[in-house]
Structures are given as structure tokens and as C-alpha cells.
Amino acid sequence: MSNALFKLPRVVNEPNLHYKPASPERLALQKELATMEAAAPFQVPAFVGGKEVKIEGALSSQPMPHNHAKALAKFPTTTPDLAQQAIDAALKAKPAWEAMPFNDRAAIFLKAADLISGKYRARICAATMLGQGKNAWQAEIDAAAELCDFFRFGAQQVQDLYAQQPPENAPGVWNRVEYRALEGFVFAVTPFNFTAIGANLVGVPALVGNVCLWKPSPGATYASWVILQILLEAGLPPNVIQFLPCPNGQETIDLTAKVISHKYFAGLHFTGSTHVFKSLWKSIALNMDNYLSYPRLVGETGGKNWQLVHSSADVRAAAIQAIRGAFEYQGQKCSALARLYVPKGLWTEFEKILKEEIAKITVGAPDVFENFMGPVISKFSFDKILGYIEKAKAAGAEVIAGGTGDDSKGFYVQPTVLLTKDPKSITMVEEIFGPVLTVYLYDDDKYEETCALIDGTTTYALTGCVFAKDRQAIVTANTLLKNASGMFYINDKSTGAVVGQQPFGGARGSGTNDKAGSMSIFYRFVQARSIKETFVPPTEFAYPSNLKD
């Protein structure tokens, strides 16, 4: 083993490709999209014990949201018995993985980032577009750039974590701290909406020496499988991550119950709905007497994100960023804008810009590059979104734009803007996870009262933004809304956090706020051990204070 203190390569954010007409990246992606769609459906297996596992029984489908009659992938149901085998295999692999020098663990993830940046960029973007309904730009900033950033910055942040050492040493003493992996395994439950988040939820614990069970969302099964293949190609030992596909419903409930009841369940890394995270937390609490250690629970859940426009704001900037925040990726980002507060004195101009610009939005298949919006993820989501729009209309909301959908071929919902007179109406309070923006108009002289209204309307506190030229208005919002979001944007939209620049996470009902994309998240998946070494021991037990006068 080398005794050198290695320094990682300099880390910078992965440059985005822009997919302009006739550009090399657009041509490569178009070719990959055509090849992948023609070859579908792909058979995605479970991966347990370092090998692909055939499971008897019917297969579930991951449909293409833009063409739901065709599946991108088919996958089996991981049974509780197979989950037990996965746990056994992971725990057996743990000593060697944890003992591997950090520079070697880091090299695997740095190589994976380079593979994603180059060799597999078109493939992972195409898988995300066809499987999760993202357009080329949304796939690029997620599955390519952000994923590279998670792996590269993650390695740097772990190096920085390991460098956190006691600043003082008494004479004859050397103090130090080591950061051990958790004693057991980590269960990663990952979402459909970000390929990069799915990879990061296993990447974070694995980088610091943990072994993981990965339960991907059914809506992102294929992209998740591609990521695992890339990690294995990069040199990840085959038993560090066990891959457990499973459809939603009772099958996932049974699988999860098996996993979280195990003695060596050491941590949960979760992104998904608030309801599911709370349910998992309660179930874990009921199993506390089973565990060797207190499990670490890390979760990022929903949001009911807000934009506050002050009377001094640049109206066009605020309107354009509201459109981007609300309707990029069909409003299916946990950070997507849902609540918009506009002073009455600006509404005429604001509404005009909003209507004119939304009318330009094209909605359609993600492989048609001109489309700004694509489909929502599923029939369940489609019905839920339209159901909320109908409830809002029944309660008196005015439809400013959109309000309709068509699921005959793909799950398409038009970008929808509702105007409400009730600041606590259903679409101002409950998370929808779709392209629905609700506007409330406030009296221009009620800015501070509106801040209080925003703060008290929902149980969520993920992202929020304020638009103002008046600096005091910005200071006021920052102060009065300090607990209303974990991400606060000034004259910018509520979405778009970048790894290494804006650590991401929210509080209240939006999660544990452990800040993905920063060193903070890695603390949750290590056990620190303080070490004190004395070079010259005492020769007498008595202290000077024990001596006689």
C-alpha cells in the first residue's frame, strides 16, 4: 500500500453541451435516440451477488411517457427472499470495500464521470429522454452534467472531509479523527425525475466505504441500470451495489419491510414523496429494537415552491423566470415553481408577458428538439394533475393559460396558470408535481404581510425566490422567509441548483436538509472515531494538586 498523500485532480463543473442544429452532439444524440427506441424494450434484471439474477414471474414495464403503448424496459419484481440474498452479499463485500484506500475508491467514480462525459453521454441522455420524458437540455443538465459533477465533486468533498482533523495537540499527544463507513448497509430509494439523483443516492454512501441496496423508481429503471453498468465498467467491485428493481405497490412495500427490519440496516438515502418518506420513518421507528445502531435517515422530498415579486421588480425577468421555474420538465422537479405572488400594480404587465410567452411553448415528444415541454411521467400523474386543475376551477380559480391535457398517445398536460383569490386554496397548499402554477395577487403595500402568508401556507420549505430591485425588499424577504425554504434565490428562478455552487436541500416537510452536492451530505454516512495517542505516559498517578503544602 502506498504511503503517499494523493491529491485529486482539480474539479470543475462539467461544461454543458447545447445541442444546436447540426452540432456533433445533436447528431450523436439523435442517432442514439433512434437506435434505442428501435431496440426497446430492454430487459433489466436484478443484480445481486455480483451477477444478473433471473426472477420467475411476470415482468413490469417502464413505458415511454411520450408513447405509452411502447415500453422502454421490462423488469422483474425483487422478492423479499432476493432482498435477503442482496443484504448477505453486500455485508460480505463490505470489509474489502471499506478497507480499499480512498484514492482507489475515488478513482472509480472519477473514471465513471469521464465515461459519462464522453463515451456514454448520448446513451444516458437518450435513456433519460425516452424513459423519463425530458427534452435534450433537461437530460443534458441532469444525466450528463450534474451526474459528472456529483461524482467528481463528491470525491473532492470526501477528501476534504477526511482532512477535517483536531486543530490542537497537547504536548506529547497526537489527536486525530478517522471517518468509518456505517456498520451495516445503506438502502437507497431513488426517484424517477433525476437520473443524477438516483446515481448520487448510491454514490454518496459508496464513496465513503458503505455498501448499498439500490431500489430505483420504476419510472427510471432503465437509466438507473445504465448507470450501474457504467460504474461496473469503471471498476466498482460487483457486490458494492445490489440493484433491486420493483414495481410500485405491495411488492415494494414487502421488499422495503424486509430490508428495513434487518439488524444491519444502517441508513436510508431517499428522494421521493413526503408521504412515502414519513411512512418509512415511522416503520423504521417501529423496528428500532432490531438494529445494531441508530440508522441514519437522509431524505429529500416534496416542495410547494414560491416566487415573490416586489413592486420594484424587473417584470419581464420575473415573468420569464416564473415560466422556466414552473414548466421546465413539466413541473416535475421537486424545486419547480408552484406559487406565484404578484403585486396588483404589476399584474396587467405581468399577465400580458406570461400569456404571450406561454403561448409560444410547444408540448410534445422529447426527441423533437423544438419541444420545450414533454409528457408527464405516468397515467397516474396525468390524472392527478388534471384532477387538481378541476378542483381549483370548482373552487373559483380562473384559468389564465392551459388547463387541459391529452393522454391518447403520450401523457401531455398543457402549461397551466391559475389565478386564485384564496391564498390557501388547494393548488396553493398541496403538491401537484406537474405543470400547474397558481397566482395570487397581493396589495402593493402588503409586502411584509405577504411574506408571512408565504411562510405559513404549506408544510414545505424547499425552494423560494424573490424578484426586486429595492435592496431593502430583498433584505426583508430574506429575513421574514428564512425558514420558508432551504434554497433562496434572489432575482433568479426557484430551480437549477448546481453541484459545487448551491448545495441542495430543504427543511420542514421537504426533507432533512443535508445538502446534496456538498461535504455536509457525506457526514451522514460515516461514523467518526476520535483517536488520542500519548507518546510519553505519566509515571505517577497523582496530580500536582494532590501534593501536600
Side-chain angles (χ1 to χ4, degrees):
M1 183 180 294
S2 174
N3 61 3
L5 297 176
F6 298 104
K7 184 177 181 180
L8 293 175
R10 180 171 176 265
V11 176
V12 296
N13 289 113
E14 172 72 11
N16 292 122
L17 302 183
H18 294 280
Y19 301 92
K20 295 178 181 179
S23 64
E25 64 266 23
R26 181 184 278 209
L27 295 174
L29 182 54
Q30 287 173 327
K31 181 179 178 180
E32 185 65 37
L33 284 164
T35 300
M36 187 175 289
E37 189 160 10
F42 299 92
Q43 303 296 313
V44 175
F47 189 79
V48 173
K51 62 182 184 296
E52 298 180 12
V53 177
K54 181 176 176 58
I55 304 173
E56 298 297 330
L59 297 177
S60 297
S61 293
Q62 180 191 351
M64 299 184 196
H66 73 283
N67 182 15
H68 51 65
K70 184 172 183 179
L72 176 64
K74 292 184 178 292
F75 58 91
T77 297
T78 299
T79 63
D81 287 344
L82 186 59
Q84 180 61 58
Q85 294 176 40
I87 293 169
D88 294 342
L91 293 176
K92 186 176 180 180
K94 185 176 184 295
W97 176 243
E98 184 178 7
M100 182 180 286
F102 168 65
N103 57 282
D104 293 294
R105 291 201 308 268
I108 293 168
F109 286 89
L110 294 175
K111 181 176 180 178
D114 283 357
L115 288 171
I116 293 161
S117 175
K119 180 180 179 181
Y120 292 113
R121 195 183 202 109
R123 184 178 177 191
I124 193 59
C125 284
T128 301
M129 293 169 71
L130 296 179
Q132 291 136 268
K134 293 196 171 186
N135 65 22
W137 177 247
Q138 295 300 317
E140 164 68 18
I141 61 177
D142 164 23
E146 185 173 56
L147 183 44
C148 290
D149 288 348
F150 272 138
F151 284 173
R152 291 173 179 150
F153 278 92
Q156 180 63 58
Q157 289 155 0
V158 174
Q159 181 175 264
D160 294 343
L161 169 63
Y162 289 167
Q164 302 302 304
Q165 296 296 320
E168 294 293 334
N169 296 284
V173 170
W174 183 18
N175 299 310
R176 49 199 188 267
V177 176
E178 67 175 10
Y179 298 90
R180 305 160 297 164
L182 302 180
E183 199 171 4
F185 64 88
V186 173
F187 185 37
V189 180
T190 66
F192 78 83
N193 60 336
F194 278 90
T195 299
I197 290 177
N200 194 51
L201 264 59
V202 290
V204 165
L207 258 170
V208 288
N210 292 287
V211 290
C212 302
L213 274 60
W214 185 0
K215 210 296 287 183
S217 166
T221 298
Y222 183 63
S224 301
W225 176 244
V226 171
I227 294 300
L228 180 59
Q229 300 310 298
I230 293 170
L231 284 168
L232 293 170
E233 182 176 330
L236 185 76
N239 271 322
V240 171
I241 295 174
Q242 315 289 322
F243 188 78
L244 309 177
C246 196
N248 289 329
Q250 189 60 46
E251 295 89 349
T252 287
I253 293 171
D254 294 342
L255 165 64
T256 301
K258 183 69 173 181
V259 172
I260 66 173
S261 64
H262 197 279
K263 177 181 179 179
Y264 284 96
F265 170 65
L268 172 69
H269 205 183
F270 176 91
T271 295
S273 77
T274 302
H275 168 74
V276 172
F277 188 52
K278 286 182 176 181
S279 176
L280 285 168
W281 196 299
K282 292 173 184 176
S283 297
I284 290 165
L286 294 175
N287 280 293
M288 281 307 303
D289 291 339
N290 295 347
Y291 302 139
L292 180 67
S293 307
Y294 293 101
R296 304 290 179 84
L297 307 183
V298 177
E300 193 264 299
T301 64
K304 196 67 183 174
N305 310 297
W306 47 269
Q307 177 173 317
L308 173 60
V309 181
H310 184 257
S311 57
S312 68
D314 179 326
V315 175
R316 183 167 186 82
I320 292 297
Q321 293 290 54
I323 290 169
R324 283 186 167 182
F327 302 129
E328 286 183 346
Y329 190 38
Q330 298 76 262
Q332 294 176 122
K333 300 181 181 183
C334 49
S335 57
L337 178 63
R339 299 183 283 154
L340 175 61
Y341 299 83
V342 180
K344 292 177 180 177
L346 295 184
W347 178 238
T348 299
E349 181 183 1
F350 201 108
E351 182 185 23
K352 180 177 183 292
I353 297 170
L354 208 59
K355 286 181 175 180
E356 289 175 350
E357 296 302 318
I358 290 174
K360 300 174 185 177
I361 292 176
T362 54
V363 181
D367 55 354
V368 177
F369 280 57
E370 299 91 326
N371 289 330
F372 183 80
M373 285 176 56
V376 297
I377 192 65
S378 66
K379 173 66 172 173
F380 175 84
S381 180
F382 176 87
D383 290 342
K384 176 184 175 183
I385 294 164
L386 292 184
Y388 268 105
I389 293 171
E390 291 306 312
K391 289 177 184 176
K393 289 162 60 178
E398 178 186 352
V399 178
I400 298 296
T404 61
D406 181 355
D407 67 344
S408 56
K409 183 176 182 181
F411 302 116
Y412 295 110
V413 178
Q414 292 297 315
T416 298
V417 179
L418 304 171
L419 180 64
T420 184
K421 295 181 179 179
D422 179 2
K424 294 193 176 181
S425 59
I426 189 169
T427 58
M428 293 291 273
V429 175
E430 296 184 15
E431 186 181 38
I432 302 173
F433 221 65
V436 179
L437 175 63
T438 305
V439 183
Y440 175 73
L441 307 181
Y442 70 92
D443 293 331
D444 294 46
D445 62 349
K446 300 292 185 183
Y447 183 69
E448 292 190 12
E449 292 86 343
T450 303
C451 288
L453 176 65
I454 293 170
D455 186 50
T457 294
T458 79
T459 60
Y460 298 104
L462 187 51
T463 73
C465 57
V466 61
F467 282 79
K469 295 177 183 176
D470 183 331
R471 196 70 207 181
Q472 186 55 53
I474 294 170
V475 171
T476 297
N478 187 32
T479 301
L480 297 180
L481 293 166
K482 66 180 180 180
N483 292 316
S485 68
M487 309 292 298
F488 182 61
Y489 297 90
I490 300 169
N491 292 317
D492 204 345
K493 66 185 191 310
S494 65
T495 64
V498 177
V499 176
Q501 297 188 38
Q502 298 96 28
F504 190 81
R508 294 181 179 169
S510 293
T512 55
N513 203 16
D514 288 297
K515 294 304 184 198
S518 74
M519 188 173 70
S520 172
I521 193 78
F522 291 97
Y523 275 105
R524 298 304 311 279
F525 294 101
V526 295
Q527 292 274 16
R529 182 169 73 150
S530 295
I531 301 169
K532 175 186 177 183
E533 182 174 358
T534 299
F535 296 135
V536 182
T539 57
E540 303 287 344
F541 73 84
Y543 295 96
S545 62
N546 298 128
L547 299 177
K548 282 188 175 184
D549 290 330

